[in-house]
Amino acid sequence: MIAHGKEIKVFTGNSNPELAKAICSELFMGLGNSAVSQFADGECSISVYEPVRGKDVFIVQSTCKPVNDSLMELLIMIDAMRRASAGRITAVIPYFGYARQDRKAKSRDPISAKLVANLITAAGADRVLTMDLHAAQIQGFFDIPVDNLMGANLFVKHFIHMFGKNNEDIMVVSPDVGSTARARNFSMKLGCNMAIVDKRREKANQSEVMNIIGNVEGKTCILLDDIVDTAGSLCGAAKAIKEIGGAKEVYACATHGVLSGPALERIEQSCIKELLFLDTIPYPADKPKLDKIQYLSTASVFAEAIRRIYEEVSISSIFDNVSYN
């Protein structure tokens, strides 16, 4: 029995409607009836065609490319639901944009992740549900509850089915020192060792690989990252562990496939045998599909989290004692 007695309603913007539909399918319900369009001058226009008064509303919207349009759609949809007297509004943001600007790296830098957190809160969201924030401390930028889901378990299940667990020929590789903790946790779940690619970043979206920390010679390596934007770091790391480290073959996985600029060309030309993404961001509609890029669905994870938020029970237990069989 649900104490607050609300009904779930799931709506979506234009950024990732297929994921929203898949989430609704997992919840055995239909997607909310709404439309997101633009006025002639480019302003966002939102229309909600069904009542939401007193409902438990979930708005599924990744703030991915076009980032600013996606963000404005989310903010205006939250405002529309609030003014329509929704009982509770949860912003379901599979990919949280602006997350890489989470600190002042140099003088006079903005902290855009904090600004976006303030905007979402001011628009009227009661909580945020997201996946694999680029920096975990961004949860503290919000003055409302934030549930940060972990996508790595989906990759673990995939690679255990492919290679088995505790396989000594498998090596997890972190593409940089900053991702070491994520790679270590991933390698423990796979039951294998890990290595680190040590690199020096000269400027944004460019990196220079310096050294391989760990012995990857003759190993099948799995590169793990959270975001692949221009793919320079990922492809550079793959080249290093193959040419410098002597790895047998290279697989890669990342939660969010932003895939900007020359990313697809770099991936196609790289030594990466297979690159896995989660469907938090859709594949670029204007680009040809690469055979080596595959997607795993996050719909079941988000649906379960939504169900638990609605029932007001623990979300963290989703990841306790996960079975990889």
Side-chain angles (χ1 to χ4, degrees):
M1 181 67 181
I2 309 303
H4 49 69
K6 300 169 189 160
E7 178 186 350
I8 291 179
K9 292 282 187 180
V10 178
F11 294 87
T12 184
N14 288 329
S15 71
N16 203 341
E18 293 306 315
L19 176 57
K21 291 174 185 176
I23 290 171
C24 287
S25 178
E26 292 283 341
L27 292 169
F28 302 102
M29 61 181 293
L31 188 62
N33 189 6
S34 65
V36 181
S37 57
Q38 289 186 339
F39 292 107
D41 64 353
E43 290 182 5
C44 179
S45 173
I46 303 292
S47 298
V48 181
Y49 298 117
E50 59 182 275
V52 296
R53 185 179 297 272
K55 309 299 185 184
D56 208 350
V57 172
F58 295 83
I59 302 171
V60 181
Q61 177 79 340
S62 284
T63 50
C64 55
K65 189 177 181 180
V67 179
N68 297 327
D69 288 347
S70 297
L71 177 59
M72 283 306 300
E73 285 181 14
L74 174 62
L75 297 175
I76 296 173
M77 287 191 79
I78 293 171
D79 182 74
M81 300 301 176
R82 176 61 65 212
R83 294 178 186 278
S85 302
R88 180 170 61 178
I89 302 169
T90 301
V92 182
I93 312 174
Y95 169 68
F96 183 81
Y98 285 107
R100 287 171 286 182
Q101 300 179 41
D102 64 314
R103 65 194 185 283
K104 290 186 68 172
K106 62 182 187 300
S107 299
R108 295 173 293 282
D109 270 0
I111 304 180
S112 305
K114 171 59 177 170
L115 173 61
V116 172
N118 289 344
L119 289 170
I120 292 170
T121 304
D126 293 297
R127 68 187 306 125
V128 169
L129 175 62
T130 186
M131 178 170 279
D132 284 344
L133 284 169
H134 183 62
Q137 65 266 23
I138 292 174
Q139 294 175 83
F141 292 177
F142 288 87
D143 295 323
I144 55 177
V146 176
D147 295 303
N148 184 28
L149 303 179
M150 296 179 291
N153 288 336
L154 295 169
F155 294 133
V156 171
K157 184 177 292 188
H158 175 86
F159 285 115
I160 285 181
H161 286 168
M162 183 180 290
F163 301 118
K165 194 171 183 179
N166 302 316
N167 189 334
E168 294 183 356
D169 293 327
I170 302 299
M171 196 86 155
V172 171
V173 181
S174 172
D176 53 49
V177 175
S179 300
T180 302
R182 184 185 297 110
R184 181 181 295 112
N185 185 46
F186 187 64
S187 66
M188 289 175 63
K189 290 177 180 178
L190 285 176
C192 61
N193 292 323
M194 67 166 286
I196 303 168
V197 177
D198 180 29
K199 68 171 189 244
R200 179 180 301 153
R201 186 180 297 274
E202 301 296 340
K203 55 184 178 180
N205 295 328
Q206 293 186 16
S207 61
E208 179 184 357
V209 175
M210 302 298 291
N211 193 22
I212 310 296
I213 304 172
N215 183 14
V216 299
E217 186 174 359
K219 303 287 187 180
T220 295
C221 293
I222 303 172
L223 275 164
L224 174 70
D225 212 343
D226 63 328
I227 297 174
V228 174
D229 189 353
T230 61
S233 295
L234 188 75
C235 294
K239 182 179 180 180
I241 60 180
K242 191 77 181 288
E243 296 182 1
I244 300 174
K248 179 182 175 183
E249 54 186 4
V250 181
Y251 292 79
C253 56
T255 304
H256 310 296
V258 178
L259 302 178
S260 303
L264 292 175
E265 290 78 8
R266 286 173 173 172
I267 293 167
E268 177 67 17
Q269 296 167 12
S270 73
C271 61
I272 296 172
K273 188 171 182 179
E274 180 184 67
L275 174 54
L276 279 177
F277 291 122
L278 301 183
D279 61 351
T280 57
I281 300 174
Y283 190 86
D286 58 340
K287 300 289 186 180
K289 187 72 169 65
L290 298 185
D291 291 337
K292 66 169 63 177
I293 294 181
Q294 303 296 327
Y295 283 81
L296 300 178
S297 175
T298 58
S300 61
V301 178
F302 277 107
E304 179 65 12
I306 287 172
R307 184 186 67 78
R308 288 173 181 245
I309 290 171
Y310 173 66
E311 295 179 352
E312 297 183 344
V313 298
S314 172
I315 288 182
S316 62
S317 58
I318 294 176
F319 306 105
D320 295 340
N321 302 316
V322 176
S323 173
Y324 301 113
N325 296 325

